[in-house]
């Protein structure tokens, strides 16, 4: 019998979402990701200094949901302060941010 090695291409995935500097906003974004994307598996990789928050294909984060998680008013452009990086493409609107892929891998 021969062993078959399976190689996983980490770059060949459709994961999208923000990489946030650790803190209050990152935790609120993680909570919003879960609430605003029902039926999707939201992965949160806590690296202590930052949180990588992702899902497959598309993620929406709504201002109202982040405000509720923070317990205070929030402007979507304030997300950029703690947004270290992101996966996928990004579409920013006054009341939501959308991370997405145009082409599936």
């Amino acid at each position: 019998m021969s062993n078959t090695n399976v190689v996983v291409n980490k770059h060949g995935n459709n994961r999208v979402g923000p990489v946030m500097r650790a803190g209050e906003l990152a935790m609120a974004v993680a909570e919003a990701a879960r609430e605003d994307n029902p039926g999707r598996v939201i992965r949160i990789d806590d690296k202590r200094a930052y949180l990588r928050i992702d899902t497959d294909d598309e993620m929406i984060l709504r201002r109202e949901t982040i405000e509720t998680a923070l317990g205070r008013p929030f402007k979507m452009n304030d997300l950029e302060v703690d947004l270290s990086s992101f996966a996928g493409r990004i579409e920013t609107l006054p009341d939501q941010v959308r991370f997405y892929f145009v082409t599936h891998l």
Side-chain angles (χ1 to χ4, degrees):
M1 285 191 139
S2 64
N3 290 334
T4 303
N5 293 326
V6 177
V7 177
V8 176
N9 180 356
K10 290 184 180 182
H11 301 289
N13 65 52
N14 293 310
R15 291 184 175 186
V16 297
V19 178
M20 304 289 302
R21 185 176 62 155
E24 176 189 36
L25 181 55
M27 297 307 291
V29 167
E31 187 174 326
R34 289 185 190 110
E35 189 170 326
D36 289 340
N37 299 279
R40 293 193 179 272
V41 174
I42 304 297
R43 292 174 291 270
I44 299 169
D45 189 6
D46 186 346
K47 299 292 190 182
R48 297 183 86 165
Y50 66 91
L51 264 63
R52 180 177 302 276
I53 305 162
D54 67 39
T55 192
D56 293 324
D57 304 319
E58 179 183 52
M59 177 185 291
I60 297 194
L61 300 171
R62 293 182 174 82
R63 179 189 50 78
E64 184 178 336
T65 311
I66 295 171
E67 283 182 336
T68 299
L70 286 172
R72 61 177 167 82
F74 176 76
K75 294 180 189 171
M76 287 310 290
N77 60 351
D78 290 344
L79 186 73
E80 295 173 15
V81 174
D82 288 347
L83 183 67
S84 303
S85 183
F86 62 90
R89 293 184 178 223
I90 188 169
E91 175 184 46
T92 306
L93 301 170
D95 290 325
Q96 75 176 30
V97 171
R98 176 180 169 234
F99 299 93
Y100 66 100
F101 266 113
V102 175
T103 305
H104 284 268
L105 300 174

